[in-house]
Amino acid sequence: MSTVALITGAASGIGAAVARRLSASGVACVLVDRDGEGVERVAEEVGGGWVVGDVSSEETSLRAVALADERYGRLDLVHLNAGTNGGIDMSAFDAQRYRTVMGVNVDAVVYGVAAALPLLKRSGGGSIVVTSSMAGLVGFGIDPIYSMSKHATVGLVRALMEPLTRDDVKISAVCPGFTDTPLVAPAKEMMIKLGLPLLTAEDVAAAVETAFHTESSGTVLVVQPGMEPTPYQHADLPHPAAG
């Protein structure tokens, strides 16, 4: 019986690289993206199914899981990867843009987990990986709303670790640094001039595959150029002295 994966933000960049990587190892894929032409192209390349839709809508996640069930009868791996930059100046706040960023970066992860869980449990368990960011571990002042949204996804992964384990579902996050994808394309030339190294989408896809198969739920993998993916160690909170 084939392993089945659902991948959001799969028309390009990290999501497309994960689809290609998993497909090459025999995993059947269901791909999701609002870019209909792009997601169809990648799905046809990997021989998978696809759903065109806005991931900030709960209905898109439900349709994607329904397609996995209808087409393959199971679901084993979920990569909640879709994301967008913030680009919000707090001194000239744009409420509509704020809701867009939170919808794609946070709501879509919540909807994705909620929609996938029943089929993952019915399939005997599985693994969920969320694409967060280094900006989800440190403050990224250039794009504070983006940074906040990525902190939220790391928090969700850590909070769901124990509840999901009861149903044999693991959840992890990958936190890459700057990655050469369409998301950073507008700033790529500047980054090169500043000598900032960029990850490739394939670098991050390899880390996602590692995260899928990690034995420990709640793992947060830091992905940086020239380094092996490294589990992030959160500091322990101090405990009051016994008295």
Side-chain angles (χ1 to χ4, degrees), residues 130-138 140 146-147 150-151 153-154 173-178 220-222:
V130 178
T131 300
S132 184
S133 168
M134 286 292 292
L137 299 174
V138 298
F140 186 52
Y146 175 80
S147 188
K150 293 302 183 177
H151 273 77
T153 58
V154 170
V174 292
C175 292
F178 293 119
V220 176
L221 286 181
V222 174

Side-chain angles (χ1 to χ4, degrees), residues 5 52 59 88 104 130 151 174 222-223:
V52 180
E59 186 261 347
I88 295 173
V104 174
V130 178
H151 273 77
V174 292
V222 174
V223 190

